Structures are given as structure tokens and as C-alpha cells.
């Protein structure tokens, strides 16, 4: 069984398939010694024409049809990273399996989101920058303004894989979890023990709102200034989804006026923000550089998922993380 690594970033391949993962793949397959990228594919495509499996990660490129035509034996692509939207469709249309490790990456996004939600409810972010910026402010701090984690509403935009993992991590006493997701049925909401709400109700009634909406055309700019204007006093908005889902400039103008609300932005549009963006200047905006997800040694968990799926495929067992053409359109 022959395989090859594809991708424009050799450092990413070495980082994700580290700590013995690459060696495990070479023990399973006859792996082509050269990583195939956009610069060498014209020269190498004939040499890999008999491969059955591709392993890749961040840096995977969209293969042109003329190259796919020269891979007649290809059965599966194992992507040890998140979204496959940018390259998967040509493979899927040919019946080639695409396996995504988004679930392994999403686990760490959910951990990040759940921890930020809990900190937000305690007033951590407002306290850090607004209430305790000097000794005088410290003595005048308004602890009674922070709700804490008891009997509050938390809103999650999106109940996909990451949203559901975040729900699992928020099973604390007396937290009501509200969800906005047009694809979530009432039966599913009941099974998840969440309350389906509109965006308007979520922003107006939840102490913390966390965005996990997919980055698809129907969600572009869906979060508007009026949503942020309606937020509760001392409430917090968290975005680990994508910045494009927000009317960002409108949100920032609201945050400029509403210093009692806080935004935690791990993603923006564009990314990074423009040099003159208010994101860098507003005290009630916390901006991190897209760190919600697998970092450091955590990234090897995505390679582990691909290895597990490879074993299932070779053993004739059902795959758990293959992507269908039908679901590709609504995936993040």
C-alpha cells in the first residue's frame, strides 16, 4: 500500500506528525520519500501515480483536475488539521474519501471557549482592565456587578462539533445554555438539554455569548451592531469562530460607547486586524492571535486521529471522521 505526504509546508508536516507519528505511518504504508507540493508536483506526479493514500495538514493545496487524473488508485486523503473546505470537493466528487481531524482540533477550541466563558462570568476580564487598572480603581471595584456562575444564561451561536463540545464542558449547576443554530432541531436541543433562541433573545438575555458559527456565505456579517447594543450590563462576547461572521466595525463602535461590556476576539476579519483598528486600543477588547485550537505538542492529536482512521479503513471498519459532499457546504 503506497502513500505520500502532500502540502506546501514541510515544517507543518514535521510538527503535526511528530513524536513518532510519521514513523507509524511509514510502518503502515510504503511512503514516497518526497513531500509533494505545488512547486514540485509537475515533476513528481508520475512517480506517485500509484499511491492510494495522502497524508497532509495545514498547507494542503487544491489539486488541479489534471493531477487528480494521474492518481487513479487514490482512495483516501487524511487531513490532520481543521477545515477541509478549501481542497476537499474535487476529491469527494471522485468518490475519494476525505478524513478530517477537525474534531481533535475542535476539542481544544472548546476547552478554550469554556474556560473563557467561566472567567467572563466571574468578571475576570472587566476586572483586569477596567476595575483594577490602578490602586484607586481597585478600592472602588464593583464585585457585586459580576454575576458569577450561578443561575446565569450562556449563549452559544452554533451547535456544530465545537459548540456541542463546549456544551459538554459547561455542565455546571444552574447554568442555562441557550443556542442559536438554524440546523438544530427541537429534538436535538432537548437531547442536549439546551434552549433554542433567536440571536436577538440571546444577546439581550445572556451574560456571556460565545460565537461558534461556521464561516459560510449565509453567516457573513450576521452579528450586527444592534446585537451588541442590546447586551446586558457587564456581559461578555467571545469569538473563537471566524471574524467574518461579525460586522466588526459596527461592533467596535458599540464597544467604544459601551465600556461595561467586553469582547474577547481570538479571530478577526481581516486577520490580523488593520493597524489602525480599534481592536488594539479599546480597553474592553481582548485580542489574541488565533490561539483557540491545538497548539504546541497538542497538534499531534490530529495525526493520531488520522492514524486511528487509517487503521479503521485498513481493517474494514466504519470511519468516524470522513466528510461527505453533502455536509461540506455547511461545514466551518
Amino acid at each position: 500500500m503506497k502513500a505520500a505526504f502532500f502540502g506546501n509546508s514541510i515544517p507543518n508536516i514535521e510538527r503535526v506528525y511528530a513524536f513518532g507519528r510519521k514513523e507509524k505511518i511509514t510502518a503502515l504504508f510504503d511512503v514516497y520519500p518526497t513531500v509533494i507540493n505545488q512547486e514540485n508536483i509537475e515533476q513528481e506526479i508520475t512517480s506517485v501515480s500509484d499511491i492510494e493514500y495522502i497524508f497532509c495538514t495545514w498547507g494542503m493545496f487544491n489539486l488541479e483536475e489534471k493531477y487528480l487524473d494521474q492518481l487513479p488508485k487514490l482512495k483516501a486523503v487524511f487531513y490532520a488539521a481543521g477545515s477541509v473546505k478549501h481542497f476537499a470537493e474535487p476529491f469527494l466528487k471522485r468518490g475519494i474519501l476525505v478524513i478530517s481531524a477537525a474534531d481533535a482540533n475542535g476539542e481544544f477550541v472548546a476547552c478554550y471557549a469554556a474556560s473563557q466563558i467561566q472567567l467572563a462570568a466571574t468578571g475576570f476580564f472587566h476586572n483586569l482592565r477596567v476595575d483594577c487598572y490602578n490602586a484607586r480603581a481597585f478600592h472602588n471595584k464593583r464585585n457585586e456587578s459580576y454575576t458569577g456562575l450561578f443561575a446565569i444564561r450562556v449563549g452559544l451561536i452554533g451547535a456544530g462539533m465545537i459548540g456541542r463540545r463546549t456544551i459538554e464542558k459547561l455542565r455546571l449547576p444552574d447554568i442555562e445554555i441557550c443556542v442559536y443554530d438554524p440546523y438544530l432541531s427541537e429534538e436535538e436541543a432537548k437531547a442536549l438539554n439546551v434552549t433554542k433562541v433567536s440571536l436577538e433573545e440571546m444577546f439581550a438575555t445572556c451574560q456571556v455569548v460565545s460565537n461558534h458559527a461556521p464561516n459560510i456565505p449565509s453567516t457573513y456579517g450576521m452579528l450586527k451592531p444592534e446585537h451588541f447594543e442590546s447586551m446586558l450590563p457587564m456581559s461578555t462576547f467571545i469569538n473563537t469562530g471566524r471574524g467574518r461572521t461579525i460586522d466588526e466595525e459596527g461592533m467596535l463602535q458599540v464597544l467604544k460607547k459601551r465600556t461595561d461590556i467586553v469582547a474577547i476576539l481570538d479571530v478577526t476579519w481581516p486577520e490580523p486586524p488593520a493597524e489602525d483598528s480599534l481592536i488594539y486600543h479599546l480597553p474592553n477588547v481582548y485580542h489574541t492571535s488565533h490561539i483557540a485550537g491545538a497548539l504546541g505538542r497538542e497538534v499531534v492529536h490530529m495525526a493520531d486521529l488520522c492514524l486511528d482512521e487509517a487503521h479503521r479503513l485498513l481493517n474494514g471498519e466504519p470511519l468516524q471522521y470522513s466528510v461527505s459532499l453533502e455536509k461540506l457546504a455547511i461545514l466551518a
Side-chain angles (χ1 to χ4, degrees), residues 224-237:
K224 304 182 184 303
E226 50 265 35
H227 292 125
F228 297 96
E229 288 170 351
S230 71
M231 290 180 73
L232 294 171
M234 306 296 288
S235 59
T236 302
F237 172 74

Side-chain angles (χ1 to χ4, degrees), residues 169-199:
K169 298 177 189 304
L170 290 175
R171 291 304 181 195
L172 299 171
D174 296 294
I175 289 183
E176 180 184 1
I177 300 175
C178 300
V179 171
Y180 170 78
D181 189 328
Y183 298 102
L184 182 70
S185 69
E186 292 292 348
E187 292 75 16
E188 288 177 306
K190 186 175 181 180
L192 291 169
N193 194 26
V194 299
T195 304
K196 282 193 70 175
V197 297
S198 65
L199 280 177

Side-chain angles (χ1 to χ4, degrees), residues 33 54 135 196 227-228 239 266 307:
I54 287 174
K196 282 193 70 175
H227 292 125
F228 297 96
N239 191 13
D266 187 58
L307 273 163

Side-chain angles (χ1 to χ4, degrees), residues 85-205:
K85 286 182 75 79
H86 64 290
F87 74 85
E89 187 173 353
F91 293 104
L92 295 173
K93 284 184 174 179
R94 290 171 178 251
I96 298 166
L97 294 167
V98 175
I99 292 90
S100 167
D103 190 76
N105 186 53
E107 170 66 16
F108 297 104
V109 181
C111 287
Y112 179 99
S115 65
Q116 302 304 300
I117 289 167
Q118 294 180 49
L119 285 172
T122 66
F124 174 84
F125 299 102
H126 199 284
N127 187 276
L128 185 65
R129 285 244 185 112
V130 181
D131 284 351
C132 290
Y133 62 92
N134 60 33
R136 186 183 188 90
F138 180 87
H139 288 296
N140 293 327
K141 65 185 183 298
R142 299 164 292 166
N143 286 359
E144 71 279 0
S145 299
Y146 311 141
T147 61
L149 288 165
F150 181 77
I152 65 167
R153 277 187 140 200
V154 171
L156 301 183
I157 302 170
M161 178 266 295
I162 295 174
R164 294 183 187 219
R165 283 185 174 271
T166 305
I167 290 168
E168 293 171 4
K169 298 177 189 304
L170 290 175
R171 291 304 181 195
L172 299 171
D174 296 294
I175 289 183
E176 180 184 1
I177 300 175
C178 300
V179 171
Y180 170 78
D181 189 328
Y183 298 102
L184 182 70
S185 69
E186 292 292 348
E187 292 75 16
E188 288 177 306
K190 186 175 181 180
L192 291 169
N193 194 26
V194 299
T195 304
K196 282 193 70 175
V197 297
S198 65
L199 280 177
E200 289 71 26
E201 180 180 349
M202 179 179 292
F203 275 86
T205 64

